[in-house]
């Protein structure tokens, strides 16, 4: 069984994340969505809310792609999380050159920590390349329309945090 780990904060999950998840499902039999606790980032949504959003957005994908999808909170090193869930692949989404520079460093470090775990990069579709959770939250906070960046369920959750 090919198991992949797609890690992130998912604060909140965006259409860019959903796009990467859908394409990752074509590569693995089981996809673990690693929801990082990451207290340093000061997330808008609680861990429980982020896990619930990921599970809700992925529920239909399991049937559509035949891939088991599991949300898994983690706070340890990414490579240790990959080992914990039995992942042979770490899946990372790339939006721009700036992402690549950071990710390239991460791959090098992770290869030193465990050469058996391979990192796979998936480029975001052009329509999703500018989407970043940080920017989506900013738009919602300033009473903008985030409908083109997130699903209706996530949009509503954002508007609950930032009443219009």
């Amino acid at each position: 069984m090919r198991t992949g780990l797609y890690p992130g904060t998912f604060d909140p999950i965006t259409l860019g994340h959903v796009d990467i998840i859908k394409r990752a499902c074509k590569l693995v039999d089981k996809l673990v969505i690693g929801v990082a606790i990451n207290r340093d980032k000061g997330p808008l949504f609680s861990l429980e809310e982020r896990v619930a959003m990921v599970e809700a957005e992925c529920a239909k994908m399991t049937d559509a792609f035949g891939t088991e999808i599991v949300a898994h909170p983690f706070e340890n090193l990414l490579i240790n999380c990959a080992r914990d869930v039995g992942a042979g692949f770490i899946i990372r989404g790339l939006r721009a050159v700036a992402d690549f520079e950071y990710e390239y460093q991460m791959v090098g470090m992770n290869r030193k920590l465990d050469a058996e775990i391979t990192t796979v990069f998936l480029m975001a579709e052009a329509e999703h390349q500018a989407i970043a959770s940080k920017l989506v939250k900013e738009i919602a906070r300033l009473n903008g329309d985030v409908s083109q960046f997130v699903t209706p369920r996530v949009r509503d959750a954002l508007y609950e945090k930032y009443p219009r």
Side-chain angles (χ1 to χ4, degrees):
M1 175 181 270
R2 293 170 307 185
T3 300
L5 170 65
Y6 177 41
T9 307
F10 303 103
D11 184 42
I13 186 169
T14 68
L15 293 177
H17 294 127
V18 171
D19 174 55
I20 298 295
I21 291 167
K22 286 178 180 177
R23 289 192 289 127
C25 284
K26 297 174 185 176
L27 303 175
V28 296
D29 303 303
K30 178 179 180 180
L31 182 62
V32 178
I33 311 297
V35 182
I37 293 171
N38 205 340
R39 299 175 208 288
D40 294 338
K41 282 192 174 181
L44 174 64
F45 293 97
S46 70
L47 176 63
E48 294 76 17
E49 289 170 318
R50 291 181 287 130
V51 168
M53 279 191 273
V54 166
E55 289 174 341
E57 297 308 320
C58 294
K60 293 179 185 172
M61 287 186 238
T62 296
D63 293 334
F65 295 103
T67 302
E68 179 185 359
I69 303 173
V70 178
H72 176 79
F74 76 102
E75 192 171 24
N76 55 344
L77 281 174
L78 176 58
I79 205 73
N80 290 340
C81 178
R83 288 181 191 137
D84 292 347
V85 301
F89 303 96
I90 295 171
I91 296 165
R92 301 294 293 170
L94 293 176
R95 293 174 297 204
V97 174
D99 286 347
F100 181 77
E101 291 174 15
Y102 170 76
E103 295 294 344
Y104 185 77
Q105 284 183 305
M106 288 293 294
V107 169
M109 297 299 282
N110 286 337
R111 299 262 320 144
K112 292 281 189 188
L113 295 171
D114 192 328
E116 297 300 311
I117 298 175
T118 301
T119 299
V120 176
F121 294 109
L122 297 176
M123 293 296 299
E125 290 293 340
E127 65 199 74
H128 302 304
Q129 284 183 357
I131 301 174
S133 294
K134 179 180 177 180
L135 298 176
V136 170
K137 290 184 287 192
E138 182 79 359
I139 293 167
R141 185 178 67 80
L142 296 171
N143 293 318
D145 181 8
V146 297
S147 299
Q148 60 188 318
F149 309 118
V150 296
T151 64
R153 178 180 300 132
V154 174
R155 178 202 62 215
D156 294 346
L158 278 163
Y159 292 160
E160 284 180 29
K161 297 285 185 179
Y162 299 120
R164 298 176 67 98

